Amino acid sequence: MFILHSSNKTENLLFHLTTVIESAQLSNPLAKEVFLIQSQGMERWLSQQLADKFGVWGNYEFLFPGKFFSSIAKQVDQQLSDEVFDRELMLWRFEQLLRDLDEPCFKPLQHYLQGENLELKRFQLAQQLAQLFDQYQMMRPDMLALWQQNQCLYQSDSEAWQRALWLKITDDLGSQHRGLLWQQVINQFKQSADLSKHLPERIMVFGLNTMPPLFLDYLQGLSLHCDVHFFLLNPTQVYWADLVSKKQLSEQPTDDHPLLATLGQQGREFQQMLLEQAHFSFEPESFEPIEITNNLQQLQNDILNNLLEGQALKKDHSISINACHSRMREVEVLKNQLLLSLESDPSLALRDIVVMAPDIQMYAPFISAIFSDIQHAIADKSLRLSNTLLDSFIRFLKLSQGRFGWQTVMDLLEQPTVYTQFELTETDLELINHWVEQTHVRWGKSASHKKELGLPELSENTWQATLDRLLMGYAVGSEENFVDHILPYREIEGSSANVLGGLNDFIQLLFKASKELTRPSTLEAWGDRLYYFADQLLSNKTATEQLERQQLNEIIEDLNSKISIIHSEDITIDVIVAWLESRVSEQKSSTGFLRGQLTFCSMLPMRSIPFKVIALLGLNEGEFPKVDRHPTFDLVGQNFRQGDRSRRADDRYQFLEVLLSARQQIIITYIGLSIHRNEAIVPSVVVSELLDVLENAYQMHDIIIKHPLQPFSRRYFIEDSEHFSFSQADYETMLALSADKPEPEKWWQGSLDTKTSNIIEINDLFAFFRQPQQYFLKRQLDI
C-alpha cells in the first residue's frame, strides 16, 4: 500500500509515524525499520524523538535517496548494479575521453580545450559533464534512450556532442545506466506477482518535500509489494496546487495568502505531481490550527487556512528582522537576541534553538569567537574545515608548487599537526619566527628557483640563503667574517640546534615535494606519492590525528583502487589538488547535530524540523535564494520540466518551511547597512516579500531594526530602546568613551628668562643638526 500522511506540523507527522510503528509491528522482530530521508539532521532528530517515545530505539536504517533506490534494486535483482555509472568514476572516464576529440561534432570542445592550463581546464570540464550526466540519468532517461537510437530530443548543437560522448561511454560500459536500471526495477514491480520476500516489510519516507518523477514512480511500484508510508509536511490544509504564481499575482490579485504564491512554487508543483502520478490507498491528515499568542503564530495560521484577513498586528519579538554592517555584527546581534529569548522564557533551553545560514562556513570563525562562552556546535561543515590535517596537506601540496612566500611557509609550519611531526613546540616556533625576521627571508627556494621564474639568479632573501646563514652560524659560532661567501648567523647554540634541525627538515621536505610533484604521473603513482608525503609531513600521534588521517587515507585510496583501473593517463599536480579540494568540499561532517547544545548549521540539514526559536543568518541579496546557474550546455537547465530541481525554488520553499517550523520566534539577520557609507542595503528577496506581507496585509511598520556599526554604541544602553545588549565589556567601553576627557596638561609649566631661553634654543638647534637621533632621544629622557 502507498499511504500519504499530511500535516502542517512535523510533530504531528512524527505522531503518525510512532502510531504506525506501535500499532503495526513488523512480523519479523529482527527486521530493520527502513527510512528514506534527505539529511543528516533529520536522521538525528528522528532517532532522538523515537528513542524518547519508545525508551529504546535500535535496529533501524536511514538511507538517502541515491543509496536507497540502488539498494532496493539490488535486493530485487543482484544483476541490477549501477556502480559503474557512479559520478566519481564518470568524472575520470570523461577526463580520459576529452583527450581524444577528433570527430567534427567535438569542435566546440576543441575550441575550449586550448591555451594555458589545459590539464586543469580538461578536468574542470570533466567535472561539469559528470554532474550533468548524473542528472540526465535521473531527469532525462527518455533523452538517453533516444540517444541510443541515434536520435536527438532537443536538436541543439550542444546535444550533438554530448550524445557522441555518451555513446562512447556506453560502448565501453553498456547502456544499462542508473535511470534505465531503475526503470527496469519499476517494470518488475508492476509485472511480478510477489517480490515481498526480497523487500523490507515497510518503508517510511520522512522529510522529503520534492523528488523527480522517476523516484515517485519507483515508490509507487514499490508500494505494490510492501507498505510505503509517505510523511509530507504541507503548509496549508486546502488545495493549493492551482495558486497563481508570483508573476501572475501582480496581474490578478486574489484572496490567497501571498507567501504561498511567492515561496511555495516547489510545494505546489510537487502536490500537482502527486495528484497526477501517485495513487494512495489511504491519506490520513492531521492539520492543526495554531494557538495564536504572537504575530508569528498569526502568520502561520493564515498560511494554514490560505486566508489573508488583513488583521492589524502590533510589532512584537516573535518576528525579528535585523540589519547589520557585517557578518561579525550579525553574530553579535544574534547572541544578544538569543540571550533575551533565554532570559524572557525560563523554559527555553539551548537544544530548543537552531541557527541556520545559507553557508554556515562563512560564519564559523565569528561563531567560535563570539559564542565561546555558550555551549554550541557547528554542524554541516565541509570535511576540509573539520579536518585540520587534511587542510594542512592540501596547503602543503599547493605551497610546494608556489613561490614559497615566507608567511605562507610559516602558516603551514605553525599547524599543530605539522610542527609536532618535526619535534617542534610552540616556543620553538617563536624562535623560528625570530630567525626568519632577522635573516630577512621573503620568498623563493633559491637562486635557481628565481631563475626558473624568469627573474635574476640572486640567492638573497630566499629560504636556501636563510638556511645557509643559520647552519653556518651554528658551525662557526661567529658572524664577524664571511665564510665561503656566507655570512654566519651566530645566535644558535645549545638546544636551539634541535630547533634548527626541525626547521631544516621541514624546508627540505618542501624542496623535495617541489621537485618530485612537478612531474605528471598516473593516478596510481600519485596515490603512492601522496601517501609518502603525508607520512613525512603529518603527525599521527593523538586519537584525533589518527581519525583525521584515516579520512585522508580513504580519499587517497581511491586513486590506488577503483579510479586507477579506468584511467591510465598522466595527471599533473594541479589536477590532483583540484580533485582533492572538490572531494573535501563536497563531503560534510556528520557531527554537531542536536547534541543538547546550541546548534549552528546550513539550512538544508534542519529543514522542516521544529524548534521553539529559529535564527537565520546571512539572508543577503544575491546569496539567498541561490541563483540557478546552469552551464550553457546543460540540457536540463535549458529545457525545464515539472519535477526538475531548481536551487532557487528549493531555497524559497526552505524559507517557507522555516516560517512554519518556528514555534515561538524567528530571528533574521542580514548585511543591510554599508560598512563604509552606512547606506541601506536591500535584504534577500524572500525577506523583502515577507516584509511586504507584514506591512501591507498586517499593517506592521518599522519592522527592521537597524543596528549601529559598533557593539558598544550608546543606543544599546538607553532605556526604552529597541536596541539592547548583555555585554558588560561593551557597556564599560561605552562608559569610557562617553566620559568627560580631562584637558591636556602642558608637559612643562615653568618659565625661563629671555637670555637663558635664547641660549638653550641655539644650543638645541646645533645639537639637532649634529646628531638628530641622539637629540630626540635626550629630549624624550628629559621629559
Side-chain angles (χ1 to χ4, degrees):
M1 289 193 302
F2 202 177
I3 304 168
L4 176 65
H5 303 260
S6 300
S7 180
N8 63 314
K9 287 188 173 183
T10 307
E11 300 94 325
N12 294 349
L13 295 176
L14 178 66
F15 178 75
H16 286 221
L17 172 63
T18 56
T19 301
V20 171
I21 294 175
E22 281 183 317
S23 60
Q25 297 183 3
L26 298 176
S27 58
N28 181 1
L30 298 180
K32 289 184 177 181
E33 287 282 3
V34 180
F35 293 83
L36 170 59
I37 58 171
Q38 192 175 15
S39 66
Q40 295 172 333
M42 181 60 74
E43 174 185 349
R44 179 64 61 86
W45 183 79
L46 274 178
S47 300
Q48 292 178 354
Q49 296 298 317
L50 293 170
D52 288 342
K53 172 64 179 177
F54 299 116
V56 175
W57 175 248
N59 200 30
Y60 55 86
E61 187 174 18
F62 289 98
L63 297 173
F64 296 143
K67 187 175 181 180
F68 171 82
F69 292 112
S70 295
S71 64
I72 293 294
K74 280 189 177 181
Q75 293 178 38
V76 172
D77 187 347
Q78 290 292 328
Q79 302 295 325
L80 300 178
S81 174
D82 58 4
E83 293 180 355
V84 294
F85 285 90
D86 179 75
R87 189 176 70 178
E88 185 66 25
L89 298 180
M90 293 291 287
L91 160 63
W92 293 105
R93 288 193 175 97
F94 280 121
E95 204 281 339
Q96 186 150 311
L97 281 176
L98 292 175
R99 295 168 180 263
D100 183 17
L101 302 174
D102 296 332
E103 292 87 341
C105 64
F106 294 130
K107 191 173 182 179
L109 298 182
Q110 294 170 354
H111 285 303
Y112 174 75
L113 296 176
Q114 294 178 0
E116 299 180 352
N117 300 320
L118 175 60
E119 296 280 339
L120 189 58
K121 289 163 67 175
R122 182 169 58 233
F123 172 78
Q124 291 170 343
L125 178 58
Q127 270 188 318
Q128 291 276 7
L129 291 173
Q131 292 173 356
L132 286 183
F133 279 86
D134 194 56
Q135 292 185 50
Y136 292 168
Q137 295 174 60
M138 302 295 102
M139 305 293 188
R140 298 292 186 272
D142 57 325
M143 180 180 69
L144 298 183
L146 287 175
W147 288 359
Q148 294 297 142
Q149 301 170 16
N150 293 324
Q151 300 179 33
C152 289
L153 179 62
Y154 299 115
Q155 309 301 327
S156 64
D157 294 338
S158 60
E159 184 180 8
W161 63 260
Q162 290 183 62
R163 173 182 164 274
L165 276 178
W166 179 251
L167 292 179
K168 283 178 173 287
I169 291 284
T170 53
D171 284 345
D172 296 333
L173 303 179
S175 60
Q176 302 296 312
H177 61 82
R178 182 173 297 172
L180 188 58
L181 290 175
W182 290 4
Q183 188 61 56
Q184 291 181 10
V185 176
I186 294 173
N187 295 336
Q188 288 195 37
F189 286 150
K190 295 178 179 179
Q191 297 169 6
S192 302
D194 185 17
L195 294 173
S196 58
K197 62 181 179 180
H198 302 292
L199 300 171
E201 189 171 335
R202 69 172 169 231
I203 293 165
M204 311 290 193
V205 184
F206 206 105
L208 271 73
N209 51 62
T210 187
M211 59 180 62
L214 182 65
F215 287 12
L216 192 57
D217 285 344
Y218 199 114
L219 292 177
Q220 183 74 57
L222 189 59
S223 66
L224 300 175
H225 303 275
C226 67
D227 290 338
V228 177
H229 293 266
F230 197 115
F231 300 88
L232 179 66
L233 181 67
N234 201 333
T236 178
Q237 60 185 343
V238 301
Y239 178 75
W240 65 303
D242 59 351
L243 290 187
V244 297
S245 66
K246 178 185 177 183
K247 181 178 180 180
Q248 295 169 328
L249 189 62
S250 60
E251 301 173 355
Q252 51 179 104
T254 67
D255 295 330
D256 298 321
H257 202 286
L259 289 180
L260 285 175
T262 58
L263 302 176
Q265 175 187 346
Q266 187 182 78
R268 294 197 308 272
E269 292 179 350
F270 187 54
Q271 187 181 69
Q272 186 66 38
M273 190 168 64
L274 287 176
L275 293 172
E276 294 174 355
Q277 282 188 239
H279 304 284
F280 299 104
S281 306
F282 185 42
E283 298 184 41
E285 298 178 351
S286 58
F287 291 95
E288 179 184 349
I290 292 93
E291 181 182 356
I292 300 173
T293 60
N294 57 41
N295 294 343
L296 175 62
Q297 292 163 350
Q298 178 68 57
L299 180 66
Q300 292 171 343
N301 206 57
D302 290 347
I303 292 175
L304 171 64
N305 298 309
N306 192 23
L307 293 175
L308 197 59
E309 298 179 356
Q311 178 182 355
L313 300 177
K314 293 183 179 180
K315 184 178 177 181
D316 63 16
H317 290 289
S318 63
I319 301 177
S320 175
I321 302 178
N322 305 269
C324 306
H325 289 82
S326 65
R327 299 188 193 277
M328 183 173 180
R329 288 293 293 126
E330 283 187 79
V331 180
E332 290 173 338
V333 167
L334 171 66
K335 182 177 182 180
N336 284 318
Q337 294 274 347
L338 294 181
L339 289 175
L340 178 64
S341 300
L342 292 166
E343 183 76 15
S344 304
D345 183 2
S347 66
L348 185 65
L350 291 178
R351 63 176 174 272
D352 300 323
I353 305 172
V354 66
V355 181
M356 298 185 286
D359 185 0
I360 198 64
Q361 297 175 151
M362 300 181 71
Y363 289 87
F366 308 119
I367 293 168
S368 299
I370 295 168
F371 281 84
S372 59
D373 56 343
I374 296 178
Q375 289 186 339
H376 70 277
I378 304 175
D380 198 40
K381 293 189 295 186
S382 69
L383 189 59
R384 182 168 184 177
L385 286 182
S386 59
N387 188 323
T388 56
L389 184 146
L390 209 159
D391 176 64
S392 298
F393 188 60
I394 293 177
R395 290 165 64 178
F396 167 79
L397 295 178
K398 296 174 74 172
L399 173 60
S400 69
Q401 305 305 307
R403 289 165 52 93
F404 282 72
W406 74 271
Q407 189 63 66
T408 308
V409 173
M410 291 305 302
D411 286 344
L412 177 62
L413 180 59
E414 288 170 356
Q415 298 300 310
T417 189
V418 175
Y419 70 73
T420 54
Q421 174 71 359
F422 296 93
E423 299 183 357
L424 299 172
T425 66
E426 291 185 6
T427 304
D428 296 337
L429 293 178
E430 295 178 4
L431 180 58
I432 292 174
N433 272 298
H434 175 70
W435 291 344
V436 168
E437 180 182 356
Q438 292 296 308
T439 56
H440 304 291
V441 62
R442 289 298 176 262
W443 69 276
K445 292 186 296 181
S446 59
S448 59
H449 182 211
K450 288 186 176 182
K451 183 179 180 181
E452 293 172 2
L453 298 176
L455 297 173
E457 191 175 358
L458 301 175
S459 63
E460 285 75 14
N461 305 113
T462 64
W463 283 100
Q464 187 60 60
T466 288
L467 288 179
D468 290 342
R469 286 198 62 193
L470 296 174
L471 293 170
M472 187 62 76
Y474 176 70
V476 302
S478 171
E479 61 179 7
E480 294 179 357
N481 298 305
F482 282 83
V483 179
D484 196 18
H485 306 290
I486 297 172
L487 178 64
Y489 182 82
R490 69 174 183 178
E491 296 181 14
I492 300 178
E493 58 185 5
S495 60
S496 60
N498 296 328
V499 182
L500 176 57
L503 173 63
N504 181 68
D505 291 343
F506 171 70
I507 299 298
Q508 294 302 329
L509 181 65
L510 278 174
F511 287 175
K512 183 176 183 179
S514 176
K515 181 179 179 180
E516 295 188 6
L517 299 182
T518 304
R519 300 192 306 271
S521 299
T522 63
L523 292 175
E524 185 175 6
W526 273 115
D528 295 336
R529 284 185 185 178
L530 296 183
Y531 271 130
Y532 170 78
F533 283 105
D535 288 338
Q536 299 298 313
L537 176 73
L538 304 171
S539 175
N540 194 24
K541 300 173 184 177
T542 67
T544 300
E545 289 174 344
Q546 292 171 3
L547 177 62
E548 292 181 346
R549 179 60 190 276
Q550 179 61 32
Q551 292 175 327
L552 173 60
N553 289 345
E554 290 173 357
I555 295 175
I556 298 177
E557 180 61 28
D558 289 343
L559 294 175
N560 284 337
S561 56
K562 56 183 182 180
I563 296 178
S564 61
I565 297 175
I566 64 173
H567 192 285
S568 57
E569 302 292 337
D570 286 346
I571 294 295
T572 62
I573 180 63
D574 292 339
V575 173
I576 292 297
V577 171
W579 174 74
L580 279 173
E581 289 184 318
S582 64
R583 283 290 299 270
V584 299
S585 63
E586 289 179 358
Q587 296 184 30
K588 304 291 184 179
S589 62
S590 58
T591 60
F593 290 106
L594 301 173
R595 296 162 56 179
Q597 304 172 324
L598 178 60
T599 300
F600 292 85
C601 66
S602 297
M603 295 186 70
L604 176 62
M606 291 296 188
R607 68 183 303 173
S608 73
I609 298 178
F611 289 89
K612 289 184 179 180
V613 178
I614 297 180
L616 299 176
L617 293 168
L619 294 196
N620 305 315
E621 175 63 20
E623 294 183 15
F624 185 89
K626 299 180 182 70
V627 178
D628 289 319
R629 301 187 185 278
H630 302 285
T632 56
F633 50 85
D634 181 0
L635 299 177
V636 171
Q638 302 299 327
N639 303 275
F640 187 81
R641 289 182 187 175
Q642 187 182 59
D644 289 350
R645 185 185 177 191
S646 166
R647 297 185 66 181
R648 189 169 184 81
D650 189 48
D651 285 348
R652 284 179 162 275
Y653 198 62
Q654 281 188 54
F655 185 70
L656 180 61
E657 288 182 329
V658 168
L659 293 178
L660 300 177
S661 300
R663 295 293 169 254
Q664 294 181 7
Q665 184 185 20
I666 181 169
I667 302 170
I668 297 172
T669 70
Y670 69 99
I671 299 178
L673 297 166
S674 169
I675 199 170
H676 301 293
R677 300 182 180 179
N678 204 39
E679 297 173 346
I681 301 174
V682 296
S684 164
V685 62
V686 296
V687 178
S688 297
E689 291 167 356
L690 174 61
L691 289 170
D692 289 342
V693 172
L694 295 176
E695 291 174 356
N696 299 328
Y698 296 98
Q699 288 78 54
M700 292 176 60
H701 302 285
D702 299 324
I703 304 169
I704 299 177
I705 303 175
K706 297 182 179 180
H707 290 267
L709 175 62
Q710 304 294 350
F712 46 79
S713 170
R714 179 186 291 272
R715 281 185 277 170
Y716 284 112
F717 307 100
I718 299 175
E719 292 185 6
D720 301 325
S721 171
E722 63 181 354
H723 300 90
F724 54 88
S725 175
F726 288 83
S727 173
Q728 182 68 26
D730 290 339
Y731 176 67
E732 293 175 355
T733 303
M734 183 273 295
L735 291 179
L737 293 174
S738 303
D740 294 334
K741 296 179 175 61
E743 290 292 331
E745 296 182 357
K746 296 180 180 179
W747 67 274
W748 184 72
Q749 300 183 19
S751 61
L752 291 174
D753 57 69
T754 304
K755 183 178 179 180
T756 305
S757 176
N758 292 336
I759 293 174
I760 292 176
E761 289 178 0
I762 293 173
N763 291 337
D764 283 354
L765 186 62
F766 288 149
F768 169 75
F769 282 113
R770 285 197 303 269
Q771 293 179 320
Q773 292 182 348
Q774 287 81 351
Y775 168 79
F776 282 120
L777 178 61
K778 181 178 183 302
R779 290 295 300 268
Q780 290 173 1
L781 293 176
D782 292 342
I783 294 172

